[in-house]
Amino acid sequence: MSPIFQTILVIVLALISFVAEWVPVDLTALMVAVLLMLLGLVTPEEGVSGFGNSATITVMAMFILSAGIARTGVIQVVRSWLIDWGGQRISQQIFVMGMIVGPITAFINNTAVVAVFLPIVEDWCKVQGRSPSKLLIPLSYATVMGGMLTLIGTSTNVLASGISAQLGYGEFSLFQFSILGIIVFSIGMAYLSLVAPNLLPARKPPRGEFLGRDYELNDYVSEVVVSARSSLIGQTLRASQLQRKVDIDVLEIIRENTHFPQPLADKVLAAGDILIVRGSREDLLGIREERGLDILPEVQFGGESLASEISSGEEQVAEVLILSNSRLSGATLKEIRFRQRYNTTVLAIRRGEDVLRKRLGRVPLRFGDVLLVQGPRDSILGLQTTRELLVLEQRDIENLRADKAWISVAIVLSVIVLSAFNIAPIMVTALAGVIAMVLTGCLKPGELYGAVRWDIIFLLAGLIPLGIAMQKSGTTEWIAQGLLALGGNLPGYWILFLFYVATSLLTEILSNNASVVLMLPIAVEVARALSLNPFAFMFAVTFAASNSYMTPIGYQTNTMVYGPGGYRFLDFTRVGAPLSLIFSIVTPLLIVLIYGL
């Protein structure tokens, strides 16, 4: 079997695994690297070279620098700008929001920016009485476009720079494609401000005083009374196994006007206790006779009394988003013992437009899921400190190191200036910035590891050997020759256009980093064969790889706003397809005009 055939077979298997999502994409990438080594397509040293590649190290350092900015509350400072300048018209609000978050994501990881602005936008929409689905897609798109303003805006740009160096063209400079990025960003913001408001749906009502109504839980949360005949009398909830054997969660116990919040597992039950429970009517009816419980239908969840009981005083209800680096992703609530770990109970799960209310303990969680949780106020506040969940309501966070804010800004600016003037490579300045963040107290040493998106690091490290294998085996040249036979006589602009479109479509079903690894070497080989400007083709592929607007799964910021906005899958296609079409036509043209062919 020839090396070219073996390499193509590995690529096909990787594509199938990426699309089918049998395993996480980072694990797929690692499996690719191992398979390449086993087949002898790369040496063991080349197989693990991705972990020491300058692109991987730079991306890791930028994650940490972004965490330093977020941890010191720098991004929160601009919250007032959004409120002061946003106005009442949706077009103005989108424009102001985009002009704030876009430049920020030129230097800070866009998932970190979206994580900070999601609660801000949610609260802003609540004050305005506007559906958050009118603003959250523009928030995601603006950060994606902002990431293309500089080299360090996204991990994809950094990876493309590293591949350029491997191919013999050197790394990109910090602002090498910034002129192109600024024009593309301006065109995108004009579209989002003027056209998108007519296409954006109002899927989710503005957050009300009580979140449970948004999840239509009136048939899933009820009050039940422990009757005098109940077998639960004298037992603790843990001993009764009520919550283990049936899909029921006890949220609160009320005894003679005294409310007992979580944790409740060791609370001894008595006759007359009122239990506020989450569970379907079928489950409640099933245990009514068996356990001696009386259901009080007249005060079910739709009534004001129960709504106020479950969300007043020390008991709070909140929405929390599962982040991309969360250990909860792929696990069930039961497996991770969510109630015991966080001292809160999950009432419902929102996944895009769908709301899950049954058998919640058995539902495998996903990145982007929104959990409606109920628990003591201190437990809800505690969720804000975890790196795995994001509370979608702006609350005062006491542990931000606001006094270090301008120090963290100065560190990031120093990293940028030193790199921009070629005093040191971006990898070196970024690592120096990481050390400075710790020495100045912007970050604690233990926070470094939690700041890194290890899934992205393993994805990059696993895919870089694939690029090496494609070059060594001759696969890149073989594919390029085939493409030249099909379209080598086309004008340069149209070849650039076809590479842009092909990469854009590929990035919608794969990760943007995988698209760059596969397409960029082929594009350079075609440019060489036609004596065209290889940088023009590299920029086209790099920009197209981040041109992911048509699905909620193509780019991670899209996934982050999918649940909070209550969107349908095709909402992204309706708003994103015209934007992708505009960029597919305009971006190659701009590349030809600015950089030449």
Side-chain angles (χ1 to χ4, degrees):
M1 189 182 298
S2 70
I4 291 178
F5 183 83
Q6 288 179 321
T7 305
I8 291 176
L9 180 61
V10 172
I11 293 172
V12 171
L13 291 175
L15 292 177
I16 293 173
S17 181
F18 277 129
V19 174
E21 297 183 335
W22 292 323
V23 294
V25 292
D26 50 321
L27 183 57
T28 294
L30 196 59
M31 291 165 61
V32 166
V34 172
L35 186 56
L36 291 172
M37 287 187 282
L38 290 175
L39 292 174
L41 295 170
V42 296
T43 65
E45 291 76 16
E46 291 169 334
V48 298
S49 63
F51 290 99
N53 188 278
S54 62
T56 309
I57 302 299
T58 302
V59 170
M60 182 175 66
M62 294 312 301
F63 281 135
I64 297 173
L65 292 177
S66 297
I69 290 288
R71 204 77 187 82
T72 54
V74 174
I75 304 178
Q76 274 86 349
V77 173
V78 302
R79 174 175 52 185
S80 59
W81 301 351
L82 188 63
I83 297 170
D84 294 342
W85 301 338
Q88 299 296 319
R89 293 184 299 111
I90 184 67
S91 294
Q92 181 179 349
Q93 292 171 350
I94 291 175
F95 179 78
V96 170
M97 179 179 67
M99 295 307 293
I100 291 173
V101 301
I104 292 175
T105 51
F107 304 102
I108 298 174
N109 178 257
N110 51 13
T111 54
V113 175
V114 171
V116 171
F117 272 89
L118 254 174
I120 295 173
V121 172
E122 285 261 2
D123 282 2
W124 192 32
C125 288
K126 179 180 178 181
V127 173
Q128 297 269 339
R130 190 184 300 283
S131 171
S133 58
K134 284 288 188 180
L135 289 174
L136 291 183
I137 280 181
L139 170 64
S140 174
Y141 289 1
T143 62
V144 174
M145 296 185 303
M148 300 309 297
L149 295 174
T150 68
L151 170 66
I152 59 176
T154 72
S155 61
T156 308
N157 297 351
V158 178
L159 177 59
S161 175
I163 296 174
S164 172
Q166 286 181 352
L167 296 175
Y169 293 96
E171 295 184 343
F172 300 156
S173 64
L174 186 62
F175 299 109
Q176 186 152 357
F177 45 73
S178 292
I179 295 175
L180 175 63
I182 290 170
I183 298 174
V184 169
F185 178 80
S186 301
I187 294 171
M189 283 310 306
Y191 169 84
L192 290 178
S193 302
L194 301 176
V195 180
N198 300 315
L199 302 174
L200 288 162
R203 292 291 179 213
K204 187 179 173 185
R207 184 193 287 127
E209 290 301 316
F210 186 58
L211 286 169
R213 293 193 185 93
D214 299 341
Y215 287 76
E216 300 176 353
L217 288 176
N218 52 300
D219 289 329
Y220 289 88
V221 177
S222 305
E223 285 187 346
V224 297
V225 178
V226 179
S227 68
R229 68 180 188 284
S230 176
S231 62
L232 297 175
I233 296 174
Q235 286 190 320
T236 64
L237 280 176
R238 179 182 282 114
S240 72
Q241 296 193 332
L242 181 66
Q243 300 180 114
R244 285 180 174 270
K245 292 184 176 180
V246 189
D247 183 32
I248 284 178
D249 291 312
V250 179
L251 310 178
E252 193 171 359
I253 298 175
I254 304 173
R255 180 179 299 163
E256 297 177 354
N257 295 322
T258 300
H259 293 247
F260 297 97
Q262 301 282 353
L264 298 169
D266 295 318
K267 198 71 182 174
V268 178
L269 300 174
D273 283 352
I274 298 175
L275 311 182
I276 300 178
V277 298
R278 182 210 62 82
S280 68
R281 293 291 290 173
E282 293 80 4
D283 287 323
L284 288 177
L285 290 171
I287 65 168
R288 180 177 61 179
E289 295 302 325
E290 178 186 346
R291 297 300 183 104
L293 297 174
D294 293 331
I295 303 174
L296 305 179
E298 69 277 7
V299 287
Q300 275 195 359
F301 195 69
E304 290 297 325
S305 61
L306 186 52
S308 60
E309 284 172 5
I310 198 175
S311 60
S312 63
E314 285 300 309
E315 289 296 300
Q316 300 288 324
V317 175
E319 289 177 300
V320 294
L321 174 71
I322 296 180
L323 297 175
S324 54
N325 58 341
S326 174
R327 289 174 293 177
L328 280 63
S329 183
T332 65
L333 295 172
K334 185 176 181 180
E335 288 171 347
I336 60 177
R337 296 173 63 84
F338 187 92
R339 187 189 298 110
Q340 290 81 3
R341 177 182 291 189
Y342 298 108
N343 195 33
T344 57
T345 301
V346 177
L347 305 178
I349 300 173
R350 184 185 291 277
R351 184 169 290 166
E353 64 174 318
D354 299 321
V355 177
L356 311 178
R357 308 177 189 89
K358 293 185 178 181
R359 303 286 185 263
L360 298 180
R362 303 176 186 176
V363 176
L365 301 174
R366 300 179 189 172
F367 160 49
D369 283 352
V370 178
L371 312 181
L372 182 69
V373 300
Q374 180 264 350
R377 180 178 179 275
D378 288 343
S379 297
I380 300 295
L381 290 173
L383 291 175
Q384 294 183 120
T385 64
T386 176
R387 304 182 186 97
E388 300 176 327
L389 296 167
L390 173 69
V391 179
L392 296 181
E393 182 177 351
Q394 197 64 29
R395 300 167 186 264
D396 293 329
I397 303 178
E398 299 174 355
N399 53 1
L400 285 177
R401 303 179 187 113
D403 58 319
K404 306 283 187 180
W406 297 111
I407 297 177
S408 67
V409 171
I411 291 171
V412 172
L413 287 177
S414 299
V415 169
I416 294 168
V417 170
L418 291 173
S419 173
F421 286 95
N422 295 318
I423 297 173
I426 184 65
M427 182 189 74
V428 177
T429 61
L431 288 174
V434 168
I435 295 172
M437 283 285 187
V438 176
L439 293 180
T440 57
C442 296
L443 285 174
K444 295 180 180 178
E447 293 173 335
L448 296 182
Y449 306 100
V452 177
R453 287 280 310 281
W454 293 107
D455 56 329
I456 297 295
I457 298 303
F458 275 84
L459 178 65
L460 296 179
L463 289 176
I464 285 172
L466 180 58
I468 296 173
M470 290 175 65
Q471 289 294 115
K472 286 181 61 178
S473 65
T475 304
T476 299
E477 184 178 357
W478 182 79
I479 295 175
Q481 291 300 323
L483 293 175
L484 286 171
L486 292 174
N489 295 323
L490 291 172
Y493 166 80
W494 288 107
I495 298 176
L496 207 61
F497 170 80
L498 291 175
F499 267 102
Y500 190 98
V501 171
T503 307
S504 296
L505 294 175
L506 198 60
T507 202
E508 292 291 352
I509 57 176
L510 304 180
S511 75
N512 45 356
N513 292 314
S515 300
V516 162
V517 170
L518 291 174
M519 296 299 294
L520 197 143
I522 298 171
V524 169
E525 191 66 35
V526 169
R528 281 175 177 167
L530 295 175
S531 298
L532 297 175
N533 181 4
F535 283 98
F537 282 76
M538 284 192 282
F539 294 161
V541 169
T542 303
F543 270 70
S546 291
N547 184 34
S548 183
Y549 307 106
M550 293 191 291
T551 72
I553 58 175
Y555 206 92
Q556 292 196 335
T557 56
N558 292 352
T559 308
M560 289 179 71
V561 302
Y562 186 34
Y567 292 114
R568 296 175 183 171
F569 192 96
L570 291 179
D571 290 337
F572 287 84
T573 307
R574 183 187 303 111
V575 182
L579 183 61
S580 295
L581 179 61
I582 292 170
F583 283 161
S584 296
I585 296 171
V586 171
T587 307
L589 180 61
L590 289 170
I591 290 173
V592 173
L593 293 175
I594 297 172
Y595 304 102
L597 272 179

